[in-house]
Amino acid sequence: MSSARPSTPRTRTGTSSLAELVAIALAFRERWQPDRWSEEDRLPSQNVEHRKGRCASPALMAGTRVRRPDEIRKSRRSRSHSCWGHLILAPLWAQHGANLGTLLRTCDAVGACLAVPPHDWVPEALRRGNTVPGRSCIHRTGNPRRWLARERETGSHLLGVELAEGALRLADLPPARRRTVVVLGHERGGIPEDIIDELDAVVEIPMIGRGASLNVAVAGSLVAYKLSGML
């Protein structure tokens, strides 16, 4: 009695698969030429530009539509917010006026206030940097150390943004539950050591690059969005 197994007919699966892959690749390349797309293939939003033939796949972006300016305005506040006394960004040792202007725009976005140091160049920096129409909530601190001491005495939570041992990671920072002052230091020197000792907590923004730290306005904006609960 023969023990040979029934023969299995040979197929040309490998050859046909290769041919199919080539056909798919050619069809994909043919379709990936924006100037040859039909109207229904194009992105639904007219606000998205096709630059140098590189654009998102219609299949992936078919449900995406960029909101119109009038739609955005309807979802935003029509007037500047008053002092809500909840979140204050305090770049009290910043030396570059551009950082104040950027932070002022962030304050408008998250509903925060800005505390500024008593330098002669600050008013002009705020005037030039405030690109948001209307008035903004600005606290003029006078002596930064005395102002922070008063804030702490009245129950404010003082949170420093600094690269320090034992600091809380930005990803673990919870939304602010009470009046919080975000203390931002000098662009190079950071927050003075004597002020670090007076803070309630310190948050650190992780980095893997070669730079020593983030720009003051960038760091403050990241922390503000986390504290506001919008991230």
Side-chain angles (χ1 to χ4, degrees):
M1 193 171 173
S2 176
S3 60
R5 283 180 267 182
S7 61
T8 303
R10 295 183 178 181
T11 63
R12 300 178 60 189
T13 304
T15 304
S16 62
S17 297
L18 179 59
E20 290 174 1
L21 288 174
V22 172
I24 292 173
L26 290 174
F28 182 82
R29 190 176 71 172
E30 181 77 12
R31 189 171 181 78
W32 196 255
Q33 298 180 20
D35 57 331
R36 300 187 63 177
W37 286 354
S38 60
E39 191 61 34
E40 59 269 22
D41 286 335
R42 295 187 180 276
L43 294 175
S45 174
Q46 297 179 359
N47 294 327
V48 179
E49 298 179 0
H50 301 279
R51 295 187 176 91
K52 299 181 181 180
R54 296 175 297 180
C55 52
S57 167
L60 296 177
M61 299 292 295
T64 301
R65 184 181 66 82
V66 177
R67 289 190 293 170
R68 299 190 307 271
D70 60 317
E71 294 176 321
I72 296 176
R73 284 193 296 270
K74 288 180 181 178
S75 65
R76 304 282 178 84
R77 292 177 53 86
S78 59
R79 295 181 298 176
S80 302
H81 68 83
S82 58
C83 181
W84 291 341
H86 180 66
L87 184 59
I88 302 174
L89 301 187
L92 302 181
W93 286 273
Q95 294 297 311
H96 297 295
N99 286 327
L100 299 186
T102 302
L103 285 171
L104 198 58
R105 193 174 186 91
T106 297
C107 288
D108 175 79
V110 302
C113 298
L114 184 69
V116 296
H119 300 313
D120 296 338
W121 53 266
V122 168
E124 177 62 16
L126 292 175
R127 187 189 67 80
R128 296 181 61 181
N130 188 9
T131 57
V132 179
R135 299 182 61 183
S136 300
C137 180
I138 298 174
H139 296 248
R140 289 172 170 78
T141 64
N143 184 290
R145 288 172 169 79
R146 294 176 184 172
W147 183 80
L148 287 173
R150 290 195 300 270
E151 286 291 325
R152 187 171 188 179
E153 289 175 0
T154 56
S156 295
H157 181 70
L158 303 186
L159 176 68
V161 182
E162 188 62 273
L163 300 173
E165 294 183 2
L168 182 68
R169 287 193 325 130
L170 178 66
D172 300 326
L173 183 65
R177 300 300 181 189
R178 60 188 174 107
R179 183 181 174 97
T180 299
V181 177
V182 180
V183 182
L184 300 162
H186 189 277
E187 284 83 352
R188 291 187 179 180
I191 301 173
E193 291 187 8
D194 62 315
I195 298 297
I196 289 284
D197 296 335
E198 299 298 323
L199 300 176
D200 295 305
V202 176
V203 61
E204 177 176 314
I205 302 174
M207 297 175 59
I208 61 173
R210 295 178 298 167
S213 63
L214 286 175
N215 173 276
V216 169
V218 173
S221 296
L222 287 172
V223 174
Y225 264 90
K226 283 290 289 182
L227 289 173
S228 67
M230 298 175 69
L231 283 182

